[in-house]
Amino acid sequence: MEAAKSAQALFTPFQAGSLELANRIVMAPMTRQFSPEGVPGENVALYYKRRAENGVGLIVTEGTVIEHADASNQGNVPHIYGEAALKGWAQVVKAVHEAGGKIIPQIWHMGAKGQVNDYSAAEIAEIVASFARSAAAAKEIGFDGIEIHGAHGYLIDQFFWEKTNTRTDQYGGDYLARTTFAVEIIKACRHAVGPDFPIVFRFSQWKSSDYNAKLAKTPEELEQFLKRLSDAGVDLFHCSTRRFWEPEFEGSDLNLAGWTKKLSGKPVITVGSVGLDSDFMSMFKEGKGSSVQAIDGLVQRLENGEFDLVAIGRALLGDPAWASKVRDGRTDELLPFTPELLGTLT
């Protein structure tokens, strides 16, 4: 059955360099904590396979942590290093590929407990090298690219933000100087994976501690910020917002992804409460679920070229068949998201 006319744009092919996707639907990275001692098992492989066999074009895994003492304080968050974890991820990759999907890991360091000022130059170099090792391992076991997590107040974003980075060396300073840590990570990963392996970079203006935070206060600042990262080796930007429909700057309806595409010339992924009627923080603050919401406005923005790919988060947790139902016009069968789903891996 052909995709419902209102959703056809979501089901057109996409290519950026060596990354070829059957459609524009991305599974957003969502921490699940179902990998004991950092090792993903068969249940994790089946979880991602269900989304791939139901028509998700690209899966971005939950955050996978690098090898560093402070990378994670959660024992069931998966690693992207070590023989056992990498064997587990190889099985995940195999399952997704057998289902016709593409998959990339989100490579992550959860961050310093406070500010980043206490990291020495030697420890920073160690962290950069660890990101690169994980990137190389991801390529070796068959992933289709990588995503570097530079958003939401985690380590890379802590270096970006003036409130958490008051360093006076080369890793601190103005908003461009504060990109140095990220630039070094991107360059190291690019060197590790070669020129043709896709690198996605996820960033956000907001932080989990401050929803109104701005890394770039104007389009001009955003353009310079993006150029530094782009020149370092980023192929696609994943632009994290809480609500995709909200404008990023006054005087334009463009969201963060729209501005990023316009200013950088790079392909972009938009994300933020797609297909649902409330943002994810309602779940944490009020224990609320979310009902299904029409996506006509989203599709119109995609057709207008505001962004290239659309990341779906909680809607795909609530309904593994979300993409196939939208494709086939069975939107009346879409399932809502409830917080209880966070305790299961379906």
Side-chain angles (χ1 to χ4, degrees):
M1 184 184 298
E2 288 188 5
K5 185 176 188 305
S6 63
Q8 282 181 351
L10 282 170
F11 297 94
T12 58
F14 171 81
Q15 181 172 0
S18 63
L19 184 64
E20 297 183 27
L21 306 178
N23 60 51
R24 307 305 180 101
I25 296 176
V26 177
M27 182 176 183
M30 292 171 283
T31 298
R32 303 311 319 277
Q33 299 194 54
F34 284 93
S35 298
E37 298 183 357
V39 179
E42 183 179 1
N43 59 336
V44 175
L46 291 173
Y47 163 75
Y48 288 118
K49 180 180 180 180
R50 288 187 194 99
R51 277 75 185 172
E53 64 191 6
N54 275 287
V56 172
L58 175 65
I59 290 168
V60 183
T61 73
E62 62 210 282
T64 65
V65 295
I66 63 168
E67 187 174 15
H68 182 253
D70 293 333
S72 173
N73 59 4
Q74 299 173 358
N76 294 328
V77 167
H79 299 167
I80 191 69
Y81 66 89
E83 183 178 359
L86 294 176
K87 281 186 175 179
W89 280 119
Q91 293 305 306
V92 174
V93 171
K94 180 182 178 185
V96 168
H97 285 169
E98 287 177 348
K102 300 289 180 72
I103 183 169
I104 65 176
Q106 184 186 72
I107 303 179
W108 190 26
H109 188 301
M110 293 178 69
K113 295 177 178 63
Q115 296 183 332
V116 299
N117 301 341
D118 295 333
Y119 283 112
S120 67
E123 189 168 16
I124 288 173
E126 176 189 337
I127 294 170
V128 170
S130 189
F131 268 95
R133 287 195 300 272
S134 288
K139 181 180 181 181
E140 184 175 347
I141 62 177
F143 278 107
D144 299 292
I146 61 167
E147 174 169 292
I148 299 170
H149 195 348
H152 305 167
Y154 296 115
L155 186 64
I156 294 174
D157 198 24
Q158 288 175 336
F159 274 85
F160 285 152
W161 199 25
E162 59 189 355
K163 289 189 178 180
T164 46
N165 181 357
T166 58
R167 299 176 71 105
T168 57
D169 61 3
Q170 70 268 34
Y171 297 101
D174 66 18
Y175 74 99
L176 289 181
R178 295 193 302 271
T179 66
T180 300
F181 178 60
V183 165
E184 289 186 359
I185 288 171
I186 296 162
K187 286 182 174 179
C189 288
R190 174 55 72 204
H191 180 75
V193 300
D196 300 322
F197 195 67
I199 295 179
V200 181
F201 190 89
R202 194 180 212 207
F203 77 102
S204 67
Q205 298 263 46
W206 67 273
K207 324 295 170 200
S208 57
S209 61
D210 185 350
Y211 301 143
N212 297 314
K214 294 279 190 183
L215 292 177
K217 299 175 178 61
T218 66
E220 292 74 22
E221 287 188 356
L222 181 61
E223 183 174 23
Q224 293 176 306
F225 173 85
L226 295 168
K227 187 177 188 307
R228 289 266 290 168
L229 305 180
S230 181
D231 288 349
V234 171
D235 296 303
L236 296 90
F237 285 104
H238 190 170
C239 311
S240 181
T241 55
R242 294 168 60 212
R243 307 175 186 94
F244 78 87
W245 56 87
E246 292 185 343
E248 189 57 40
F249 300 112
E250 289 186 10
S252 170
D253 291 333
L254 291 176
N255 69 5
L256 183 61
W259 274 108
T260 297
K261 181 175 181 178
K262 177 180 180 179
L263 296 172
S264 72
K266 296 284 186 177
V268 297
I269 307 170
T270 197
V271 69
S273 305
V274 173
L276 298 175
D277 66 352
S278 62
D279 70 49
F280 71 100
M281 293 314 299
S282 301
M283 172 184 67
F284 295 112
K285 286 183 173 180
E286 305 165 38
K288 289 174 58 178
S290 297
S291 299
V292 173
Q293 184 86 350
I295 59 169
D296 299 36
L298 171 87
V299 173
Q300 186 62 59
R301 286 171 176 254
L302 180 62
E303 290 177 341
N304 291 346
E306 184 172 334
F307 36 75
D308 303 280
L309 300 167
V310 176
I312 318 293
R314 289 166 299 139
L316 269 171
L317 285 188
D319 194 342
W322 189 92
S324 60
K325 289 177 181 178
V326 171
R327 179 193 66 209
D328 297 340
R330 297 182 289 125
T331 53
D332 58 329
E333 300 177 22
L334 291 172
L335 302 176
F337 169 81
T338 61
E340 292 75 20
L341 289 164
L342 295 179
T344 63
L345 198 68
T346 59

